[in-house]
Each structure stands twice: as structure tokens, then as C-alpha cells.
């Protein structure tokens, strides 16, 4: 049954308005598919704008959260690699750093505007990585620097080869002057 414009306040129309938000909660994929179809057909009056706007905002927050989490992980592993003496773990940390670099590069290629956000969050991410390591009993005996010893440069940090020569060194800050600030 079609609802005419004169019946917008009818109980049936109110039920239809209540169903739209429920679809986003019960079948997100269906809601996305329906929304895309409505937009492609230019049926703008039928689009669930409130939820669409909310979803677009969530996407932006999600990408920023992903950047933040991947950067924290990479910095944690860089600190472990540079400042701990757990030689048997170096390879795993190196692999995690390389994977984080690759994933961060892909994220920044997909959304170049996140590079600006990188600058805003970098030092906070370092502080979170440092806090995480200092709270971990396995790393409390190591002296991690309060200041960030790594360049904040995206290009430098995401360079795949920056780990090469120091995988077998302990306290590498002296041999990595080109990488450190």
C-alpha cells in the first residue's frame, strides 16, 4: 500500500519511520544495499539520511582509530626492538613493524587526508605505546625514553628498510642516528 503525501502523519507512516532505524540495527548489509540503490535511483526522499550521515561519520572515526591503533602497535614494537635485550623476539617484532608499516602505508594511500591527523596524534600514540610497555611486567626492567626517539616523519617511519642493520643489536640508539631525531 502506498502512502500518499497527505497521509504522512498516519499511523502506518509512523510505523514505516520506525522500521528504517531497526533495519540498520538488525541487517546492516541490507540497509547499506537499500541505501545505495536509493541513491543510485536518485530517490533522495526515501533515503534514511539520519542513519546515513551517522554511518559516514563513523567511517571517518573508524579510519582515524585504525591509524592510531596501528601507529601505537608499530611504536611499541620499535621500542621493544631498540631498548630490550630479548634477542629471540627481535624477528617477531621486526615482522610486526614491517606489517604495520605496510598497513599504515595502505591506509594513508586510501585516505591521504589522514596524514594531517598523523601529525596531531603522533606524540600521543608514542605516550600510549610507552605506557603500555611500562605497565607490562616483562618490560619494566628496561629504560624506555620519555621523549620519542623516532622521527615523526611519515616517509621515514614507513620506509620498509629502516630495520635492516640493527636486528641483532641491543640499545640501538647510537647506531641508528639517521633514524632517531
Amino acid at each position: 500500500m502506498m502512502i500518499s503525501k497527505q497521509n504522512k502523519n498516519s499511523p502506518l507512516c509512523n510505523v514505516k519511520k520506525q522500521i528504517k532505524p531497526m533495519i540498520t540495527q538488525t541487517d546492516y548489509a541490507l540497509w547499506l544495499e537499500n541505501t545505495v540503490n536509493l541513491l543510485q535511483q536518485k530517490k533522495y526522499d526515501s533515503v534514511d539520511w539520519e542513519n546515513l550521515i551517522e554511518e559516514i561519520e563513523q567511517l571517518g572515526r573508524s579510519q582515524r582509530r585504525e591509524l592510531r591503533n596501528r601507529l601505537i602497535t608499530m611504536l611499541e614494537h620499535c621500542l621493544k626492538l631498540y631498548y630490550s635485550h630479548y634477542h629471540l623476539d627481535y624477528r617477531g617484532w621486526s615482522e610486526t613493524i614491517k606489517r604495520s608499516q605496510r598497513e599504515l602505508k595502505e591506509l594513508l594511500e586510501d585516505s591521504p587526508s589522514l596524514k594531517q591527523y598523523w601529525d596531531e596524534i603522533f606524540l600521543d600514540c608514542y605516550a600510549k605505546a610507552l605506557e603500555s610497555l611500562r605497565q607490562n611486567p616483562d618490560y619494566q626492567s628496561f629504560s624506555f625514553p620519555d621523549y620519542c626517539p623516532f622521527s615523526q616523519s611519515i616517509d621515514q617511519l614507513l620506509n620498509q628498510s629502516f630495520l635492516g642493520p640493527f636486528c641483532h643489536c641491543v640499545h640501538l640508539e647510537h647506531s641508528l642516528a639517521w633514524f632517531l631525531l
Side-chain angles (χ1 to χ4, degrees):
M1 176 175 159
M2 291 211 29
I3 299 174
S4 68
K5 289 188 179 184
Q6 298 116 348
N7 292 334
K8 275 189 174 179
N9 295 322
S10 73
L12 185 57
C13 187
N14 288 334
V15 168
K16 188 175 179 182
K17 286 179 185 176
Q18 291 172 358
I19 290 173
K20 282 182 183 180
M22 288 176 22
I23 290 175
T24 61
Q25 295 170 5
T26 59
D27 193 339
Y28 182 71
L30 177 64
W31 176 79
L32 280 176
E33 185 179 327
N34 288 341
T35 301
V36 168
N37 287 336
L38 290 170
L39 290 170
Q40 288 173 337
Q41 296 169 13
K42 298 182 180 170
K43 294 183 177 179
Y44 303 123
D45 290 342
S46 300
V47 171
D48 179 7
W49 288 106
E50 186 176 327
N51 283 314
L52 179 59
I53 290 167
E54 185 178 322
E55 288 303 312
I56 292 170
E57 288 173 343
Q58 293 262 10
L59 278 174
R61 284 192 294 271
S62 174
Q63 284 195 324
R64 289 188 298 273
R65 185 173 35 255
E66 181 180 354
L67 175 68
R68 193 171 44 252
N69 291 340
R70 292 186 189 283
L71 183 54
I72 290 169
T73 297
M74 188 178 78
L75 290 170
E76 282 178 3
H77 285 81
C78 285
L79 284 167
K80 290 176 190 179
L81 188 68
Y82 288 127
Y83 295 97
S84 82
H85 58 71
Y86 295 149
H87 304 287
L88 296 177
D89 295 331
Y90 284 5
R91 182 173 180 196
W93 296 332
S94 295
E95 291 303 315
T96 299
I97 293 167
K98 289 176 188 174
R99 184 177 57 253
S100 296
Q101 289 173 310
R102 184 179 61 252
E103 292 167 347
L104 283 163
K105 278 183 179 181
E106 290 170 2
L107 180 61
L108 293 170
E109 286 170 4
D110 289 345
S111 299
S113 64
L114 289 174
K115 289 178 182 177
Q116 185 176 18
Y117 184 62
W118 172 290
D119 293 332
E120 293 174 29
I121 64 165
F122 185 85
L123 293 177
D124 184 55
C125 289
Y126 178 77
K128 285 184 168 107
L130 186 61
E131 178 184 358
S132 174
L133 291 174
R134 286 181 172 166
Q135 290 177 353
N136 185 326
D138 293 338
Y139 298 102
Q140 289 177 352
S141 65
F142 299 109
S143 296
F144 298 111
D146 291 330
Y147 65 92
C148 181
F150 310 115
S151 169
Q152 193 168 333
S153 164
I154 294 171
D155 293 334
Q156 194 168 9
L157 272 176
L158 299 185
N159 179 346
Q160 288 283 342
S161 64
F162 87 88
L163 291 176
F166 56 82
C167 287
H168 298 27
C169 300
V170 178
H171 301 290
L172 305 163
E173 63 271 21
H174 300 295
S175 62
L176 296 172
W178 62 273
F179 180 69
L180 302 173
L181 292 176

